[in-house]
Amino acid sequence: MREESACPHCLTASYDINQNNSILIRDLSISGQHIYLEIPHRQFYCKSCQKYFTERLSFVDWERRYTQRYEDYIYRRVQVSTIEQVKREEALSWDQVQGIFTHKREQLKKPLSAKLNV
């Protein structure tokens, strides 16, 4: 893991970690076992613009609790099955499956230029 993170406000590299909490992120199952990744979720302080910011993770969309590949998997499963079946097989709630499906559908609707700016 990199020691610094670029401030999204001024793009200056920041090395000052203000907080370091762990979050659980759901990933693809392995051999039928649900997998959760415990990821450090670091908050930095930027001395240049004097703002706090939370490090972005390249494999998890902002404020999501699932890896992008897990959300892609759920989206594809719902397309060929039902929310109810995916819910049962993945031990998720109906709202979680619907939320993942809606999130991925909205991402796919975005024009390429908007995806590059995220």
Side-chain angles (χ1 to χ4, degrees), residues 18-31:
N18 181 56
Q19 292 182 26
N20 190 5
N21 299 313
S22 293
I23 57 173
L24 286 178
I25 303 293
R26 176 89 182 255
D27 200 9
L28 293 173
S29 299
I30 298 175
S31 298

Side-chain angles (χ1 to χ4, degrees), residues 33-76:
Q33 298 294 311
H34 302 306
I35 300 298
Y36 291 87
L37 307 174
E38 187 172 355
I39 308 289
H41 202 227
R42 303 182 303 176
Q43 183 187 63
F44 288 81
Y45 176 72
C46 178
K47 289 181 182 177
S48 179
C49 66
Q50 300 181 351
K51 293 183 180 180
Y52 293 94
F53 66 94
T54 302
E55 179 178 39
R56 299 284 177 126
L57 302 171
S58 62
F59 56 93
V60 178
D61 292 335
W62 184 246
E63 295 186 334
R64 303 294 293 174
R65 293 292 184 233
Y66 312 98
T67 62
Q68 292 167 352
R69 65 185 176 190
Y70 184 70
E71 289 193 340
D72 291 341
Y73 170 74
I74 296 298
Y75 180 77
R76 288 190 310 270

Side-chain angles (χ1 to χ4, degrees), residues 77 80-91 94 97:
R77 292 277 317 278
V80 297
S81 182
T82 65
I83 290 177
E84 191 63 36
Q85 183 176 356
V86 174
K87 168 188 105 107
R88 255 191 328 272
E89 293 172 0
E90 292 296 319
W94 193 94
V97 176

